[in-house]
Amino acid sequence: MKKTEVSFRTLSLWQVIIIGVAYMTPMTVFDTFGIVSGVTEGRVPLAYLLALFAMLLTAISYARFSRVSDKPGSAYSYTAETCGPQAGFFVGWCALLDYILLPLINALLAGIYLEAVIPAVPYWAWVVLFTVLVTLINCFRINLLANLSLIFVFAPIVLMLLFVYLVIQGVGHDQGYNHVLTMAPLFNGNTEILPLIAGASILCFSFLGFDAVTTLSHETKDPKKTIPRAVIYTTLIGGVIFFTASWFIQLYFPSNVRFKDPDAALPEIVMYVGGALFQAVFLCAQIMNTFASGLATHASASRLMHIMGRDGIFHKGTLGQVHSKLGTPLYAVLGIGVICLLAIVLDLATVVSMISFGALIAFTAVNFSVFMKFYVHEKQRQGWNNKLKNLFLPLISVVAILCLWFNLEKSALLFGLAWLTVGIVIFIYKKLKKQNIVIGNAY
């Protein structure tokens, strides 16, 4: 069994990073720009910097824990290791909400985009086709997914670079190239901080890929060295992509005045900058980007479900097993595929409003787990270096996440609490069942 498990460790550092970046969906910066520009009053790049700072603090906690932990499973495993299996169950249950909704969102987006490009095919058929294809690829070795993710991430990034070039040419031609070097996209004279925090709270969830890579440690070469580096690099690479793209979009569109629909500004942004042909090509790249994100989010969700199944939270004989020939958690992959089919009957606004709760629970739990493991259990408290790493940084990270809690939508909070209630019922049921088995064996 041990030899079989080791033989599946094939992912390199850059393959893990590519999966993490694909999970982030880099082109989401175009989807959210109109919304965040309105919230921040034309300071999207600065909001991205604040979001990157908050997420880097939490990424450091993930990296530190993955360096010393033998277990994959992200916040679920880390919390269980430091705060006990009961706390781990509830954190894992809440995080699972976030993990299973992201593949569902990608199925929804794919259906919307593809129906817009080819309206003759109904929306539900595109959702089914997208889900079946993503599920089928995830059934095979993780290397196939990593290589496909590289292709589907690389092409949109090339188009983003072309977009930057067109912005520079457009601004330079209309206003002079000295306007390209302005700091206006970052500082436009507005100094209000609360709108920036509100914008950053929306953008933080673009960085979720760094969390997902920690679920891949059982399929990664030298995970204690590779995963921590992948966590930090994924966060930084995603931050650079988001900041650069938002800088040039903000340069071209200082405000939302030109947008007819700021909540769905992507088609207008690329039309203004590059014309109808560029818009069509860009929308095709957006579909590719959604496919890459669909592959990565499906993989991470199925891994977390498999890890929880292996630990007995779900059925060990199905979700807890790795297929002997494929080397993947086959039943967990198929389970996520079935959930993605709900995109046929759900709408995007409803699903997006549900996604924040689980991520915030996971981030808070991992930062607290770093404090518990290193400062409380291992008593690494001597000297300013230990105090900074094990007390102050986790504390600052928790405070940063609390700022996001205050900006959580009411619908996300209510749905998250309902999901947590279901988890409590399952926990009580499993506890009572275990007690009955013990009592039965005693007799």
Side-chain angles (χ1 to χ4, degrees), residues 77-154:
S77 295
Y78 302 160
T79 306
E81 188 175 327
T82 56
C83 303
Q86 295 179 349
F89 168 83
F90 287 112
V91 169
W93 178 258
C94 291
L96 186 62
L97 172 64
D98 173 48
Y99 273 78
I100 63 177
L101 285 179
L102 281 169
L104 180 58
I105 285 176
N106 282 299
L108 270 161
L109 287 173
I112 292 169
Y113 293 148
L114 288 165
E115 187 185 31
V117 174
I118 309 177
V121 179
Y123 165 80
W124 67 266
W126 286 124
V127 170
V128 171
L129 179 62
F130 177 86
T131 301
V132 168
L133 189 57
V134 167
T135 304
L136 182 64
I137 292 171
N138 268 282
C139 287
F140 294 95
R141 293 284 176 89
I142 196 77
N143 271 52
L144 174 62
L145 183 146
N147 294 333
L148 285 173
S149 294
L150 176 61
I151 297 169
F152 288 116
V153 168
F154 181 73

Side-chain angles (χ1 to χ4, degrees), residues 24-228:
M24 287 182 174
T25 321
M27 292 181 75
T28 191
V29 61
F30 292 89
D31 291 313
T32 58
F33 178 83
I35 300 168
V36 180
S37 183
V39 171
T40 62
E41 300 172 356
R43 294 176 292 166
V44 178
L46 192 54
Y48 265 115
L49 281 183
L50 286 179
L52 176 59
F53 173 74
M55 291 298 96
L56 266 178
L57 289 174
T58 300
I60 289 169
S61 292
Y62 273 89
R64 289 198 67 200
F65 224 112
S66 61
R67 190 174 289 113
V68 298
S69 177
D70 293 319
K71 298 180 180 179
S74 189
Y76 159 67
S77 295
Y78 302 160
T79 306
E81 188 175 327
T82 56
C83 303
Q86 295 179 349
F89 168 83
F90 287 112
V91 169
W93 178 258
C94 291
L96 186 62
L97 172 64
D98 173 48
Y99 273 78
I100 63 177
L101 285 179
L102 281 169
L104 180 58
I105 285 176
N106 282 299
L108 270 161
L109 287 173
I112 292 169
Y113 293 148
L114 288 165
E115 187 185 31
V117 174
I118 309 177
V121 179
Y123 165 80
W124 67 266
W126 286 124
V127 170
V128 171
L129 179 62
F130 177 86
T131 301
V132 168
L133 189 57
V134 167
T135 304
L136 182 64
I137 292 171
N138 268 282
C139 287
F140 294 95
R141 293 284 176 89
I142 196 77
N143 271 52
L144 174 62
L145 183 146
N147 294 333
L148 285 173
S149 294
L150 176 61
I151 297 169
F152 288 116
V153 168
F154 181 73
I157 288 177
V158 169
L159 272 178
M160 288 173 74
L161 292 174
L162 178 57
F163 174 86
V164 168
Y165 171 77
L166 291 173
V167 168
I168 293 172
Q169 290 294 105
V171 172
H173 182 268
D174 295 339
Q175 304 176 44
Y177 284 96
N178 58 312
H179 284 83
V180 175
L181 302 176
T182 179
M183 294 295 288
L186 198 61
F187 304 108
N188 63 3
N190 191 331
T191 57
E192 292 185 56
I193 189 66
L194 289 180
L196 273 177
I197 295 174
S201 69
I202 297 171
L203 298 175
C204 275
F205 304 105
S206 301
F207 290 85
L208 290 177
F210 77 82
D211 169 273
V213 300
T214 60
T215 64
L216 302 174
S217 61
H218 271 182
E219 294 157 292
T220 303
K221 300 173 185 175
D222 194 7
K224 286 189 177 182
K225 183 179 179 182
T226 301
I227 295 297

Side-chain angles (χ1 to χ4, degrees), residues 173-361:
H173 182 268
D174 295 339
Q175 304 176 44
Y177 284 96
N178 58 312
H179 284 83
V180 175
L181 302 176
T182 179
M183 294 295 288
L186 198 61
F187 304 108
N188 63 3
N190 191 331
T191 57
E192 292 185 56
I193 189 66
L194 289 180
L196 273 177
I197 295 174
S201 69
I202 297 171
L203 298 175
C204 275
F205 304 105
S206 301
F207 290 85
L208 290 177
F210 77 82
D211 169 273
V213 300
T214 60
T215 64
L216 302 174
S217 61
H218 271 182
E219 294 157 292
T220 303
K221 300 173 185 175
D222 194 7
K224 286 189 177 182
K225 183 179 179 182
T226 301
I227 295 297
R229 293 165 66 190
V231 168
I232 300 299
Y233 290 158
T234 298
T235 309
L236 288 173
I237 291 170
V240 169
I241 292 171
F242 294 140
F243 177 77
T244 303
S246 65
W247 176 285
F248 285 97
I249 302 172
Q250 195 78 77
L251 179 67
Y252 204 91
F253 302 96
S255 69
N256 282 1
V257 174
R258 297 169 70 182
F259 298 141
K260 294 178 182 177
D261 183 9
D263 290 353
L266 184 147
E268 293 182 75
I269 290 172
V270 292
M271 171 65 86
Y272 279 125
V273 172
L277 178 60
F278 184 66
Q279 182 191 49
V281 174
F282 209 88
L283 286 174
C284 290
Q286 185 73 343
I287 294 171
M288 294 176 67
N289 201 47
T290 303
F291 190 72
S293 181
L295 290 172
T297 54
H298 196 118
S300 297
S302 59
R303 266 65 181 177
L304 180 59
M305 188 176 282
H306 159 68
I307 292 160
M308 295 177 75
R310 193 187 59 197
D311 290 350
I313 293 175
F314 302 126
H315 192 265
K316 279 188 177 182
T318 52
L319 296 179
Q321 296 297 313
V322 172
H323 194 275
S324 58
K325 293 183 179 178
L326 297 176
T328 55
L330 182 62
Y331 292 112
V333 169
L334 295 175
I336 296 297
V338 171
I339 292 171
C340 286
L341 291 175
L342 291 174
I344 295 172
V345 295
L346 295 174
D347 65 273
L348 185 60
T350 301
V351 180
V352 168
S353 69
M354 301 173 183
I355 203 166
S356 307
F357 186 86
L360 290 178
I361 289 285

